[in-house]
Amino acid sequence: MTKLSYVRTEMLPEREPPTSATGVIGWMRQNLFNGWMNSLLTLISLAVIFWLVAGLLPWFWSPTWNAGSLGQCREIIAEAGKQSGACWGVINERWPQMLFGFYPQDLRLRPTLAFFLLFVALIPVLFAMISRRMNWLLLVLVLFAATFFGPGGAVMTVLQIVLGLGLAWLAWTVVATDRADRAAQIKEGVKRLPNPLIFSAAFVFLMPWLLWGGSVWVPVGVALGFVIGWLVFRLLNALIGSLAALILAIVTPVLWWLFLNGLFASAMQAVLPYGLEPVPSRLFGGLLLSVTIGVTAIVISLPMGIMLALGRQSDLLIVKSLSVIFIEFIRGVPLITLLFVASVLLNIFLPPGTNFDIILRVIIMATIFAAAYMAEVVRGGLAALPKGQYEAADALGLDYWKAQRLIIMPQALKISIPGIVSTFIGLFKDTTLVSIIGLLDPIGLSTSIRADTNWNGIVWELYGFVALLFFIFTFSMSRYSMYLERRLRTDHG
Amino acid sequence: MPSQEIERAVDHSRMKVSDTVAIEIRDMNKWYGQFHVLRDINLTVNEGERIVIAGPSGSGKSTLIRCINRLEEHQAGSIIVDGTELSSDLKNVDKVRSEVGMVFQHFNLFPHLTILENCTLAPIWVRKVPRNEAEESAMQYLEKVKIPEQANKYPGQLSGGQQQRVAIARSLCMKPRIMLFDEPTSALDPEMIKEVLDTMIELAEEGMTMLVVTHEMGFAQQVANRVIFMDAGQIVEQNEPTEFFNNPQSDRTKLFLSQIL
Ligand SMILES: Nc1ncnc2c1ncn2[C@@H]1O[C@H](COP(=O)(O)OP(=O)(O)O)[C@@H](O)[C@H]1O
Ligand SMILES: [Mg+2]
């Protein structure tokens, strides 16, 4: 052997890190006071924060909640012996309007229910860790809660009892089923509940009906159109090839919606009349309007953006050029221009007498605007994928659509999450632009409230409230995207 | 160029070359734009053959084997795989691809899927095998490449050698009749090369038809029944391994061998 003077025979045990590196003190030392420059910046920041809070807090802390006008606010503030203070009376008086606009007061349960159901419908899309059982439980819970605010009557009571029993049963099974024990349950033949995505799909048709009301047969007919398209594709795919079948599967439902759905709905309505009281679009306003436009545009713009991004990369010249022209044109035009087109120009071009809903027009414009940006964000994700991924998918015999769906898109979308969510947030905030074409979103409403003689001169309270409403939504989206990025990480233990 | 020593004796008893033609390439030519990358390739591969393709970098080895499952398109001549001619007809392409497995230099595993999902994806979606059957079969192949315990990890958590063995298992799950390897060990650290070569030897011992682009001349000597030498887009020389290494005919082959052995 060589001259080995030292050989370790035992491995040293692990030791705790020194206390100076852990705990509150350790954290502060590491993050706030490491070095004189950092310490100085920390102190300056603390001073600025203190100065801001000290200035704002007295303004916030202002007992004006019950004031009926700006004048009363001033009196209350003067009585309290203060120089200035917020006038919260305006929020107290107008918050229902800021949320619902001029939506009839006795019908506001409908948009509220739609809003909560929206969350239930999004669960299977957004949160993988919530079980099916829990998902159905939440759905029944929301419906059950809604019955207490409903119009009452015998039917309602029966519904309440049924939902209450369902709720109790689901709650019991959620407690009783241990999620880790799924394997044993499969052996015992415990059936899984149906996929809650069924409700998510149904909600697409349920939401407009809840908001706008009318005959129940209209949304049923619209849903039927999709079923028809699917059937056409299934039946003809083998007979006339996939492309022709696809074209027919798009054309047939469109014809159905344009020409037959109205007949179908009125015929069914004559036999089985059931509907909700219709609410015209001009009564929509406030946050309800922003959320309706924002959510619809968000949900549609993502798949549309994906298709445009794929179209832009396509080898088919026509598909490629159409995608490029669409994306570049829409991105090149300010959203406000598109909204003016929606509100003014379309009326000139459409035949007189056609009633093309203004909210629908705005949703279409907001959607195509967001889709154009989305297409570029997704294209960025596609470009970041190594060529080897496409080759491996090809070599395994996956066709184009399967490769896109199973291999390419999951990775490209994951890379694009920050960009996608930024586009969503931007879109949601841009819904306030509809105030310029006269729709009463929270900003539009603020303007009209400020025109009221009682509240003439109010600024910060109203816009601060609007800001808070929007912040709740946009901040949740931003946090969700961070959660999603963490969940989709696959490169650590 | 290092050539890995293969320690164990390779069992040739089941390596039988049959008379059935697996791949037939006739007067095949390919251009990248103006660049004539493959010139008049003629090659017949019988079932059960183990062919090693060698040659300097840029000589067109990858392009040749990528033409066999149409990751690249050829412009002249014909390629017939298992009786199916490769043309612009997508049905034929899909058919060939489901018969031919391919292993890449950089593994190309799907990073967003677990090892098991990597292996079951194509059987489920292309071959329409039920999920539990696909999973069972995938576990068998993962055992064969000796990493069943990694089934629920993600590719990013495995070493290079393990990833390449998963890539081999993933191809095998489609039950291919022909396997193509494009420099499967070139991206690996030396100590991992052996585990991948061992897997490939086992595959050869079971009688798989294999086309292997590699610089591992030890593998060529012990496993291949034919070595093809390519240069400048042409097949310059082909022979059985002993003759090829001991008695090279062309000057270019001699030069190449003197450089790498
Ligand atoms: N997609 C491509 N476009 C243009 N030239 C290419 C492309 N792929 C490879 N080449 C060229 O073709 C030649 C052969 O490449 P390749 O088959 O990868 O060689 P090898 O695998 O033998 O190293 C090289 O000169 C390479 O630069
Ligand atoms: Mg190569």
Side-chain angles (χ1 to χ4, degrees), chain A residues 286-360:
Chain A
L287 191 65
L288 167 63
L289 184 66
S290 305
V291 172
T292 308
I293 298 173
V295 168
T296 319
I298 281 175
V299 168
I300 304 175
S301 67
L302 181 60
M304 199 171 156
I306 292 174
M307 295 318 288
L308 283 169
L310 291 179
R312 190 166 192 163
Q313 293 209 323
S314 167
D315 297 333
L316 306 170
L317 191 65
I318 295 188
V319 175
K320 188 186 169 97
S321 347
L322 284 179
S323 307
V324 172
I325 292 171
F326 182 91
I327 293 169
E328 295 304 338
F329 177 74
I330 298 291
R331 280 206 312 165
V333 176
L335 177 57
I336 202 73
T337 320
L338 293 177
L339 292 178
F340 273 121
V341 170
S343 83
V344 186
L345 282 180
L346 277 184
N347 271 355
I348 300 174
F349 290 123
L350 289 172
T354 32
N355 179 22
F356 192 8
D357 191 284
I358 179 70
I359 296 185
L360 192 60

Side-chain angles (χ1 to χ4, degrees), chain A residues 58-65 73 77 82 84-89 461:
Chain A
W59 182 82
F60 263 100
W61 196 255
S62 168
T64 49
W65 186 248
C73 278
I77 292 167
K82 290 208 285 185
S84 67
C87 182
W88 296 121
E461 296 82 347

Side-chain angles (χ1 to χ4, degrees), chain B residues 118 127 212 256:
Chain B
N118 263 278
R127 288 233 194 274
V212 185
F256 176 74

Side-chain angles (χ1 to χ4, degrees), chain A residues 387-399 402 405-408 410-411 414 489-493, chain B residues 66 69 71 94 97-98 100 102 104 108-113 121-122 125-126 128 154 156-157 170-171 174:
Chain A
K387 204 161 143 259
Q389 293 291 307
Y390 292 89
E391 291 177 351
D394 280 348
L396 285 169
L398 293 163
D399 63 32
K402 281 181 192 147
R405 190 170 122 216
L406 302 165
I407 310 297
I408 307 303
Q411 297 184 63
K414 180 178 145 188
R489 279 188 69 181
T490 57
D491 52 356
H492 59 81
Chain B
R66 288 157 62 85
N69 64 354
L71 289 183
D94 285 342
R97 282 178 179 167
S98 63
V100 179
M102 178 140 188
F104 300 87
N108 297 354
L109 293 178
F110 305 130
H112 62 302
L113 300 176
L121 182 106
W125 290 93
V126 179
K128 312 281 181 215
Y154 287 93
Q157 297 166 297
R170 177 176 72 177
S171 287
M174 284 293 279

Side-chain angles (χ1 to χ4, degrees), chain A residues 433-446:
Chain A
L433 287 176
V434 300
S435 58
I436 293 181
I437 57 167
L439 293 187
L440 292 175
D441 83 309
I443 296 288
L445 275 173
S446 303

